[in-house]
Amino acid sequence: MTKKIAVTGPESTGKSKLAKNLAEHFQTVFVPEHARVYIDKLTRPYNQEDILIIAENQLLNEKKAMISANRFLICDTELIVTKIWSMHKYNSCHPWILEQIKQNRYDLFLLCDIDLPWEFDLQREHPHHRKYFLDWYQKELKEYGFPYRVVSGEGEKRLQNAIDIINHFFSTSK
């Protein structure tokens, strides 16, 4: 049975690179972050309705990718990201997103630590609030009772730490 792994955390913590590298290591597919593609195509600033569209498409892309997954499906982001993003920017979150967080389960969340240097990107908005967001992600994961581990380290060390976490978690949780 395919296990779903969500790579999550604050901006500029290496989520996309880690997800891609994990998929390569485990010879499986990964689901890219839909928000990046969606926002890049917008000809206007995004709004709260866009966050719902992004969330819906993220889950749709996961369902499509699950068909090709081999043992693990690696997801570059998940809906807690959209919840935090929406709550921070708009002080509310669409009920559908909140419900899907509960229904769309992952077997493991890899929460990326903020130990990497922040890198500028047109879609990144909060270079000075990464600790605040990291704490928020941890709070959400704990409140939902979702299994998670923090991934730290730079470059190959970060990847190896994530591989070790996955191997250990799934060898002991059978």
Side-chain angles (χ1 to χ4, degrees):
M1 185 161 167
T2 302
K3 303 291 186 184
K4 282 177 41 176
I5 300 171
V7 180
T8 193
E11 63 186 19
S12 193
T13 55
K15 295 182 298 292
S16 297
K17 181 177 181 181
L18 182 60
K20 184 174 189 245
N21 289 342
L22 285 170
E24 288 172 4
H25 174 81
F26 289 108
Q27 299 178 338
T28 190
V29 295
F30 82 104
V31 181
E33 181 182 14
H34 186 74
R36 291 211 151 267
V37 175
Y38 183 86
I39 291 174
D40 276 347
K41 291 180 181 177
L42 285 179
T43 57
R44 57 168 172 76
Y46 72 84
N47 58 45
Q48 193 170 15
E49 292 78 30
D50 291 317
I51 295 174
L52 177 60
I53 294 167
I54 289 165
E56 291 169 340
N57 281 283
Q58 188 70 37
L59 291 188
L60 180 63
N61 292 342
E62 282 183 19
K63 287 177 185 171
K64 290 177 185 175
M66 186 61 91
I67 297 165
S68 305
N70 174 30
R71 188 170 169 219
F72 299 117
L73 177 66
I74 311 293
C75 303
D76 175 11
T77 205
E78 43 68 48
L79 296 191
I80 292 174
V81 172
T82 56
K83 175 184 177 181
I84 290 174
W85 182 17
S86 188
M87 293 299 295
H88 180 75
K89 188 151 180 122
Y90 303 105
N91 294 315
S92 67
C93 183
H94 194 282
W96 184 88
I97 293 173
L98 298 175
E99 187 57 36
Q100 291 304 309
I101 289 171
K102 295 174 194 169
Q103 290 182 15
N104 186 49
R105 303 296 290 215
Y106 297 86
D107 298 285
L108 176 64
F109 288 78
L110 296 176
L111 176 58
C112 291
D113 201 352
I114 55 172
D115 56 343
L116 299 180
W118 189 84
E119 293 181 14
F120 175 78
D121 177 315
L122 289 173
Q123 291 187 20
R124 294 183 180 149
E125 302 174 8
H126 305 289
H128 304 295
H129 302 308
R130 295 194 314 154
K131 175 72 169 114
Y132 167 78
F133 284 108
L134 179 66
D135 291 346
W136 193 349
Y137 279 95
Q138 262 188 316
K139 179 179 170 273
E140 292 285 335
L141 290 166
K142 286 177 183 176
E143 284 181 3
Y144 282 109
F146 294 157
Y148 79 95
R149 302 292 183 272
V150 176
V151 178
S152 58
E154 291 191 39
E156 289 298 315
K157 185 175 181 186
R158 192 179 204 87
L159 173 61
Q160 189 58 55
N161 287 342
I163 292 167
D164 292 346
I165 288 167
I166 291 167
N167 286 334
H168 178 73
F169 183 84
F170 289 106
S171 71
T172 59
S173 65
K174 291 180 180 176

